[in-house]
Amino acid sequence: AKYIPFILLCILTISQELFAQIEFTYQSEYSYLKGRDASSIPATWMNPGFDYSAWPKGKAPFRYGNGTGGTEIADMQNSYTTIYLRSTFICSEKDQIKEITITTDYDDGFIIWINGLIAVRDNAPATPLWNSTAPLNHESGTGVTFTVSAGSLNLVDGINYIAVQGFNVSLTSTDFYLDVEIHAEKNLPQLSDTAGIEFSV
């Protein structure tokens, strides 16, 4: 019986160690700008210091033609091919994070920046502009997960900035969809059992 408090302490410690250090979920809120309104957007729009306070707000997914919920952008067809998103997430104990996972459900392409650095991109143009298009079709419905080294990003303890540019395949495309989630946990050290297993009566 005297070992029960010690066991409970170990369980609580492990639970705390496994607690997510970054948890940015699907259906999060963003500030957004439609591509047709971004022809003069500065090249630094994805950086932490950029002021996007005048942009309207909406929850992901940003979509039309498929999916449900979120922010419907039914005026995208025949009008603009890109959308710009800005939001923030909280990170704690960044030095304990080895990698982050980014899962994106998208139609047709995207680039994600974290604190101004490209974290991941897929089916996106080499030089993203306000009127760019995705090179190929990509259907939404199943999120694609990417693993990114935390050391390649400027993570900070506290508020971090996410910027996303989504690309449709053409002006006449019949659908568009974009949603993102980001997750990270502590990198737990690998400890060897030097004492071995002992039993007590």
Side-chain angles (χ1 to χ4, degrees), residues 65-139:
N66 60 24
T68 59
T71 303
E72 187 174 10
I73 46 175
D75 61 342
M76 188 178 202
Q77 189 176 24
N78 299 313
S79 181
Y80 54 97
T81 58
T82 65
I83 190 165
Y84 294 75
L85 309 178
R86 290 295 307 260
S87 192
T88 61
F89 62 86
I90 300 298
C91 175
S92 61
E93 298 181 88
K94 68 178 182 65
D95 293 334
Q96 300 285 337
I97 300 173
K98 181 178 181 181
E99 58 189 25
I100 66 174
T101 58
I102 300 175
T103 302
T104 310
D105 193 356
Y106 61 103
D107 181 340
D108 290 287
F110 69 90
I111 302 174
I112 297 173
W113 293 262
I114 293 179
N115 295 331
L117 297 180
I118 292 180
V120 65
R121 60 188 295 155
D122 198 36
N123 200 30
T127 304
L129 302 173
W130 66 273
N131 58 352
S132 295
T133 57
L136 301 169
N137 280 301
H138 182 279
E139 293 302 319

Side-chain angles (χ1 to χ4, degrees), residues 9-176:
L9 177 62
C10 290
I11 293 173
L12 289 173
T13 302
I14 292 171
S15 298
Q16 291 172 349
E17 289 291 322
L18 293 177
F19 188 79
Q21 305 308 109
I22 298 174
E23 194 65 52
F24 183 81
T25 63
Y26 279 158
Q27 303 173 11
S28 289
E29 185 177 76
Y30 295 81
S31 298
Y32 68 96
L33 185 68
K34 298 174 180 180
R36 68 183 179 199
D37 301 321
S39 59
S40 60
I41 195 169
T44 57
W45 75 272
M46 72 290 293
N47 290 343
F50 177 74
D51 182 10
Y52 55 90
S53 59
W55 294 10
K57 296 182 184 295
K59 286 191 174 183
F62 291 83
R63 61 173 190 86
Y64 77 89
N66 60 24
T68 59
T71 303
E72 187 174 10
I73 46 175
D75 61 342
M76 188 178 202
Q77 189 176 24
N78 299 313
S79 181
Y80 54 97
T81 58
T82 65
I83 190 165
Y84 294 75
L85 309 178
R86 290 295 307 260
S87 192
T88 61
F89 62 86
I90 300 298
C91 175
S92 61
E93 298 181 88
K94 68 178 182 65
D95 293 334
Q96 300 285 337
I97 300 173
K98 181 178 181 181
E99 58 189 25
I100 66 174
T101 58
I102 300 175
T103 302
T104 310
D105 193 356
Y106 61 103
D107 181 340
D108 290 287
F110 69 90
I111 302 174
I112 297 173
W113 293 262
I114 293 179
N115 295 331
L117 297 180
I118 292 180
V120 65
R121 60 188 295 155
D122 198 36
N123 200 30
T127 304
L129 302 173
W130 66 273
N131 58 352
S132 295
T133 57
L136 301 169
N137 280 301
H138 182 279
E139 293 302 319
S140 61
T142 301
V144 180
T145 298
F146 306 84
T147 301
V148 181
S149 169
S152 66
L153 305 172
N154 289 327
L155 291 176
V156 298
D157 288 328
I159 297 175
N160 291 258
Y161 293 86
I162 176 174
V164 186
Q165 187 174 3
F167 305 91
N168 213 340
V169 74
S170 71
L171 272 174
T172 58
S173 174
T174 58
D175 55 11
F176 177 84

Side-chain angles (χ1 to χ4, degrees), residues 173-195:
S173 174
T174 58
D175 55 11
F176 177 84
Y177 192 97
L178 185 59
D179 204 351
V180 176
E181 67 177 11
I182 304 173
H183 179 81
E185 295 179 354
K186 285 184 179 180
N187 178 38
L188 299 180
Q190 299 297 315
L191 301 177
S192 59
D193 181 10
T194 57

